[in-house]
Amino acid sequence: MTPPPPPSIRLDDAQILIVDDHPDLIDNLTEILEEEGARVSRAMSASEAIEVARQGFDVALVDIRLPDATGLALLPQLKQASDGLTEVLLITGNASLDDAIAAVGQDAYAYVLKPFDPADLLATVGRAVEKVRLQRETRDLERRARIAEKLAAVGTLSAGLAHEIRNPLNAASLQLQLLERRLKRAGENPQLLEPVAMVQAEIARLSHLVEDFLRFARPADLHRRRFDLVGLVSHVIELQSLEASKHAITLRAELPSEPVYVDGDRDKLQQVVLNLVRNAIEALQGHERSDASPGTIALAVERADEGMVRLTIRDNGPGIPEDIRTRVFEPFFSTKPMGTGLGMAICHSLVQQHGGNIELVVDAGTLVEISLPGSPK
């Protein structure tokens, strides 16, 4: 009895990097991979490959002999240039035992000999892609578990502590206001009024911190209604345009002409977008780009697959290192000297309460992507 043919291998949306100095081979591999749904990027030298790898990839097919390096030397550099959760297949037409041993030592996923059978190559690439996807899913689950543990551990404590702090803060603020009025009646003396203003500012900051703790510890009640996300983004750009212009930063809208509706709490989602735009403005302040281009923040809205709506906020700032990027949404993690580490955690919580998702995408600068369930017209 003839065995059934192997199942069709699909590489839908897998990002494959081909590094080879033979154009015909690259064209052939590109055609084979794209027919299975992959997105292919190409490089003909090691230096070019490192630049392309920084834009992200899942699996790389690398010739072991390149004009400016060996595939073995390039392998660890490719992994360092990406998020580290990638696989590299070395391909060669001149196999040697030493190269095979070195490939294993460098943690290559496979050592493929030319000429290769397309079905076998696709099967190998498919397994490598599946491994990468599983590794990324595991990392994401671990990150979500860390966030959930911290939420559970400090939620009740935060709420209780915030309530205990709020009362004396309010009393202190009232007494300072009374003192300020009496000082002004006695004659405005900057040496007396300036310390009072400074203490009031610090109390206001503490009060804001308390409110953050309460929002973090106590999930907000959502007042859902159907609204236009395009209008919300336009409003946020209007609110932040003056602050951005003070720092020579351009806010750019990439919005459709038609409304894009979602069901949700407009005020809460506006809070999320405002927080992300303010973070982008802070990241761009004082950052000098090598190409001398002006600071830019672009906000875009588009319809995505399966009834979802995608909102992206992209800046051309310094970007976020990988070790920090994976912790951005963790409660109490902050890179700011006076930061509470709650702003992004609250954004994450609010988006999830809406049935959506928020993530940082590996890209030049910083790209925040929010997915929300769309509302039918």
Side-chain angles (χ1 to χ4, degrees):
M1 181 177 177
T2 304
S8 176
I9 299 169
R10 296 295 297 173
L11 301 174
D12 294 323
D13 290 328
Q15 183 65 55
I16 310 298
L17 169 60
I18 302 174
V19 187
D20 199 294
D21 60 343
H22 295 86
D24 291 341
L25 178 64
I26 290 183
D27 290 341
N28 185 33
L29 285 172
T30 299
E31 184 174 334
I32 292 171
L33 294 165
E34 287 184 341
E35 284 180 354
E36 301 303 325
R39 293 178 290 118
V40 178
S41 51
R42 305 146 63 116
M44 298 187 68
S45 66
S47 56
E48 183 183 0
I50 293 172
E51 290 300 316
V52 176
R54 291 195 177 102
Q55 301 173 20
F57 71 94
D58 299 318
V59 174
L61 302 175
V62 181
D63 191 3
I64 206 164
R65 298 283 183 263
L66 295 168
D68 54 347
T70 67
L72 289 168
L74 178 60
L75 191 157
Q77 296 180 62
L78 287 178
K79 293 204 170 189
Q80 290 173 6
S82 65
D83 66 359
L85 299 182
T86 55
E87 293 295 342
V88 177
L89 283 67
L90 294 174
I91 53 179
T92 181
N94 301 299
S96 73
L97 180 60
D98 289 341
D99 283 345
I101 293 172
V104 173
Q106 291 280 19
D107 198 25
Y109 181 81
Y111 188 72
V112 182
L113 302 180
K114 304 176 190 175
F116 40 74
D117 178 79
D120 290 341
L121 178 68
L122 283 173
T124 303
V125 172
R127 289 192 296 271
V129 167
E130 184 64 19
K131 179 182 177 183
V132 169
R133 286 173 174 167
L134 287 172
Q135 287 175 326
R136 289 178 179 165
E137 287 174 6
T138 300
R139 181 183 65 179
D140 187 56
L141 288 172
E142 290 174 347
R143 178 182 63 82
R144 291 172 185 266
R146 285 199 306 270
I147 293 174
E149 287 172 2
K150 288 192 176 184
L151 284 170
V154 303
T156 304
L157 174 63
S158 297
L161 187 61
H163 281 297
E164 290 297 322
I165 293 174
R166 177 186 273 178
N167 290 335
L169 277 181
N170 288 338
S173 180
L174 288 172
Q175 292 300 316
L176 278 171
Q177 292 172 30
L178 177 62
L179 176 60
E180 184 179 28
R181 287 196 298 270
R182 289 177 178 176
L183 288 173
K184 286 181 177 179
R185 283 200 300 267
E188 293 194 13
N189 184 340
Q191 290 185 335
L192 296 176
L193 289 174
E194 285 178 7
V196 172
M198 183 185 69
V199 174
Q200 284 179 322
E202 289 301 299
I203 286 179
R205 188 176 68 83
L206 285 173
S207 181
H208 179 70
L209 174 60
V210 169
E211 291 299 323
D212 277 350
F213 268 93
L214 285 174
R215 282 196 295 269
F216 166 69
R218 186 177 56 209
D221 293 327
L222 299 183
H223 302 286
R224 292 180 179 272
R225 62 183 176 85
R226 185 170 180 262
F227 70 91
D228 176 21
L229 189 61
V230 173
L232 182 150
V233 171
S234 298
H235 183 57
V236 169
I237 291 174
E238 184 180 347
L239 290 174
Q240 291 297 301
S241 59
L242 180 60
E243 180 65 21
S245 64
K246 289 179 182 178
H247 305 284
I249 296 169
T250 300
L251 286 179
R252 189 173 72 239
E254 299 172 356
L255 305 174
S257 56
E258 296 291 325
V260 177
Y261 292 104
V262 298
D263 284 315
D265 189 317
R266 192 184 192 282
D267 291 339
K268 298 295 190 300
L269 289 175
Q270 179 173 303
Q271 175 190 340
V272 171
V273 180
L274 273 171
N275 190 55
L276 294 172
V277 171
R278 287 167 181 158
N279 284 351
I281 291 174
E282 290 179 8
L284 287 167
Q285 290 178 28
H287 172 64
E288 296 183 3
R289 282 157 294 284
S290 57
D291 58 359
S293 61
T296 303
I297 302 170
L299 290 84
V301 174
E302 61 181 349
R303 299 186 188 279
D305 298 331
E306 300 178 357
M308 300 296 285
V309 171
R310 183 181 299 112
L311 163 63
T312 57
I313 301 170
R314 180 198 301 269
D315 68 59
N316 61 345
I320 302 175
E322 174 63 23
D323 58 334
I324 294 175
R325 190 184 307 128
T326 57
R327 300 190 63 193
V328 162
F329 298 113
E330 287 187 18
F332 308 111
F333 175 79
S334 177
T335 58
K336 301 175 184 177
M338 301 297 290
T340 64
L342 291 176
M344 294 299 283
I346 292 170
C347 289
H348 183 275
S349 176
L350 287 173
V351 171
Q352 284 203 322
Q353 286 179 61
H354 281 83
N357 185 51
I358 179 172
E359 62 179 330
L360 294 177
V361 180
V362 178
D363 203 349
T366 299
L367 172 62
V368 182
E369 186 175 288
I370 299 173
S371 297
L372 294 167
S375 175
K377 290 185 178 180

